Amino acid sequence: MATQIDPRESRQTQLNKGIAELAILLLLKKRAHYGLELLEHMNGKAGLEIADGTIYPLLHRLERAGRILAEWQTNTPNGRPRKYYALTSEGDVHCTDLLNAWRRLSSGVNHLADGEKND
Amino acid sequence: MTEKENNHAVSIYLRRCRWALSALPAHDIDEIIEETRSHILDRIDAGASVTDVLSKMERAEDYASQFIKEHTAASAISSRRADALVSALVTNATGNVLATATLVGLFVVWAFALLFVAVAVMKLFNPATVGLWSGSDVFFLGVIDDPATANELLGVWIFPISFGLFAAAWLVTRRAAMWALHRLIGAV
């Protein structure tokens, strides 16, 4: 049986994936985080609805691209090792570029939306 | 579910992930599995049921394929080898318009180049009837039945042209595949 995909959900998922990179870099700009912590920030206040299975491949990709650094820490509250991610200087520059691109994009879309309202 | 059943369900999921990740270096697999285990157990500690946690993760095979695709693309870019680059594009082609379009484009380029090479090879054995033919109602590359009915345009130039097209196809493959894979890796 073919899987039914809600087009709205699919669009939302694609958009969220695109924004997820920026969200991760912005969070890591403040301090190092581990995967679940990043996910909870993104899905909490930001409401990005990133799936649990999506975040680690994305972190892996950013790590390989040299934008973030990973380090295992064992002195965690529950004693379970966690992999913490921190922003590299290259990631910092990339984050600024992405943020500027995002601001231009959202400003353009807002401009169009406002224009449509006024028409 | 009892704790034993929970542990069993988590173990099965992680074993399937490990199996699906087997194309990656052992160190990478260990890191991914350990991080995934830590994530699942943290969720369970926070009060979620194992069923809920595992349903929020993707199927083990789908989860693993995201790492494999990225790894294949990154390794191919590092190696800069045309075969590795094309192989990475094929791996990424499923569900990806950019990779599929690049592969289709490369297929057309190679079909054109190989056609010229094949005709050049045939011309070595049968120079009188093989070439690029132009007549009153014909224009084609290949073998003609009666050479008196059309003019052959390339002559021996077909050999350097074929070599040039082959080299160009090779360069285009590397450039296009590198460009597409860079975009695929960057497009997150």
Side-chain angles (χ1 to χ4, degrees), chain A residues 57-77:
Chain A
L58 181 50
L59 288 167
H60 192 80
R61 195 180 299 180
L62 289 168
E63 188 186 351
R64 282 184 71 107
R67 288 167 187 162
I68 59 176
L69 273 177
E71 187 187 22
W72 283 97
Q73 289 190 12
T74 48
N75 56 340
T76 59

Side-chain angles (χ1 to χ4, degrees), chain B residues 72-93:
Chain B
T72 311
S75 304
I77 288 171
S78 305
S79 78
R80 304 176 71 89
R81 284 186 5 245
D83 60 331
L85 291 164
V86 172
S87 170
L89 272 181
V90 171
T91 307
N92 279 279

Side-chain angles (χ1 to χ4, degrees), chain B residues 13-29:
Chain B
Y13 181 80
L14 292 174
R15 207 177 308 144
R16 285 176 56 198
C17 285
R18 185 176 283 279
W19 178 81
L21 288 165
S22 57
L24 296 185
H27 176 260
D28 285 5
I29 298 175

